[in-house]
Amino acid sequence: MRLKYHFNLPPESDVILRNRTITTYYAQLYQREPSLYKWAGMAAFASFHIGEKLKIWDWEATPIKTLSETCKKKNKSLEDDFQIIRIINNKIFSEIGTALLTFSQIEYHVFRNQLILERKNELIIEAFDKLQEARIKMQNDTVDQETHDLVWEANLQILWHEQYKVVQPLFDKLSLVFSGAMSIIASFDYRIHHKQTNWRLASRFILFMFSKGFKVLLHNGILPDVTNIKHRWFWISSDLFVKWKSAESNKQLITEEMQILSSLELRKLDILTHIHQKNT
């Protein structure tokens, strides 16, 4: 399977630069096809926020470790936990960012067969089926509310796949102390520099769970835990995703924010975004 364009990432050892490049690519994917790639837009903000947290650690004095190296230890150090967060950032991009780039460049039946050969989860294949259906409708200028709903449904499925299949197995490897600290500081904002932000654009995990998520806590542990998939998914699906849909409808806001995010590093996605394909 030959692609005309491949991502050009810095080495894993250059942690902050690599994160900034990943953020840049997410934003550019969204800019290329904002009517389809809702997940990529949200991921650009998420990657930016992860990058801000990664800056806490001194990576210049820290050699890169593999996941197996960090998991061999019974008692994980703070460094091990940061290594896992770094790995999560890379793995999400490798798993989903690369799939979106491929989806944008080749005929869909070839792409779908590749997903099957790689034994991808049925849910992610179903999500791309929906994106393909919506893409064909858009190419034929038959866009209606049903098409828009289909796009959002597909992107929510991609988001669930990301959280359940990619993130959760790695979150399970974090130390309890680090998980607790993450739960306290976890936040999200659709203004990346937090200027002129408000409750419509920003969210704090612990505050949301103690208010809107109290019933979830009663059934799944009384203390909010961002590494608990039930807690985290309730926050993401009921707050972050809803706010993303609202923020994304504000074209001026998102255009300004994406311009910043897409320019963090000097990269350019030189790909065709309107591929006339038959649905198979």
Side-chain angles (χ1 to χ4, degrees):
M1 183 171 58
R2 293 184 178 181
L3 303 180
K4 294 183 69 175
Y5 186 89
H6 294 270
F7 290 127
N8 178 23
L9 291 177
E12 286 195 42
S13 57
D14 205 335
V15 176
I16 303 305
L17 178 59
R18 188 178 176 93
N19 166 262
R20 286 169 61 91
T21 305
I22 286 173
T23 303
T24 296
Y25 278 138
Y26 281 145
Q28 290 185 5
L29 273 170
Y30 172 79
Q31 286 176 322
R32 289 279 180 170
E33 206 67 65
S35 58
L36 281 178
Y37 298 154
K38 310 298 187 183
W39 178 89
M42 191 175 180
F45 286 99
S47 181
F48 175 84
H49 291 309
I50 289 174
E52 293 300 291
K53 301 299 188 296
L54 287 173
K55 288 178 183 177
I56 297 172
W57 193 256
D58 183 7
W59 293 104
E60 291 188 5
T62 305
I64 295 303
K65 293 181 180 177
T66 65
L67 185 62
S68 61
E69 286 178 298
T70 62
C71 293
K72 285 178 182 177
K73 299 182 179 179
K74 269 191 174 182
N75 299 314
K76 290 187 177 64
S77 65
L78 184 59
E79 177 194 332
D80 295 324
D81 288 319
F82 269 101
Q83 293 278 4
I84 291 172
I85 298 301
R86 176 191 66 78
I87 291 168
I88 288 173
N89 187 228
N90 288 328
K91 191 168 179 59
I92 292 172
F93 184 77
S94 174
E95 176 80 13
I96 304 176
T98 301
L100 286 174
L101 182 68
T102 306
F103 175 77
S104 69
Q105 293 187 74
I106 66 173
E107 292 186 4
Y108 186 67
H109 73 278
V110 178
F111 172 74
R112 194 178 194 279
N113 287 339
Q114 186 63 31
L115 293 180
I116 294 171
L117 286 173
E118 294 174 0
R119 298 186 178 182
K120 297 298 184 183
N121 184 271
E122 288 183 7
L123 189 65
I124 198 72
I125 297 175
E126 181 183 315
F128 277 109
D129 284 343
K130 291 175 181 177
L131 277 187
Q132 172 65 1
E133 181 182 342
R135 177 163 64 179
I136 289 174
K137 288 183 176 181
M138 291 174 181
Q139 290 172 350
N140 295 330
D141 296 323
T142 55
V143 181
D144 51 20
Q145 188 58 47
E146 183 180 342
T147 304
H148 290 301
D149 292 344
L150 189 65
V151 169
W152 282 108
E153 184 181 332
N155 280 274
L156 185 61
Q157 285 182 231
I158 293 173
L159 187 57
W160 168 250
H161 173 81
E162 169 211 316
Q163 290 298 315
Y164 183 64
K165 290 293 185 179
V166 182
V167 175
Q168 191 57 43
L170 296 175
F171 266 3
D172 288 340
K173 300 181 185 302
L174 292 169
S175 69
L176 291 177
V177 173
F178 194 83
S179 297
M182 279 181 58
S183 299
I184 293 172
I185 68 173
S187 63
F188 208 98
D189 199 325
Y190 290 110
R191 278 195 183 277
I192 61 172
H193 294 302
H194 306 283
K195 295 178 181 178
Q196 300 176 343
T197 194
N198 55 55
W199 64 270
R200 294 183 180 86
L201 298 172
S203 179
R204 284 286 302 276
F205 169 72
I206 197 165
L207 295 179
F208 179 79
M209 292 305 296
F210 273 136
S211 54
K212 302 290 181 62
F214 196 69
K215 288 185 178 179
V216 177
L217 295 179
L218 286 176
H219 291 92
N220 298 282
I222 194 64
L223 293 178
D225 178 4
V226 76
T227 65
N228 180 312
I229 185 63
K230 292 180 179 178
H231 292 190
R232 187 173 71 259
W233 183 247
F234 183 76
W235 180 47
I236 291 172
S237 61
S238 301
D239 195 30
L240 303 188
F241 192 74
V242 173
K243 286 178 177 175
W244 171 231
K245 291 180 74 173
S246 177
E248 206 254 357
S249 67
N250 185 336
K251 300 307 179 186
Q252 181 178 352
L253 167 71
I254 295 304
T255 297
E256 292 174 357
E257 297 298 312
M258 284 296 162
Q259 186 57 44
I260 298 171
L261 291 168
S262 66
S263 304
L264 291 178
E265 292 300 324
L266 187 59
R267 296 291 191 278
K268 184 178 179 181
L269 281 179
D270 188 17
I271 57 177
L272 296 174
T273 55
H274 294 285
I275 304 172
H276 296 282
Q277 306 174 61
K278 295 179 181 179
N279 196 6
T280 56

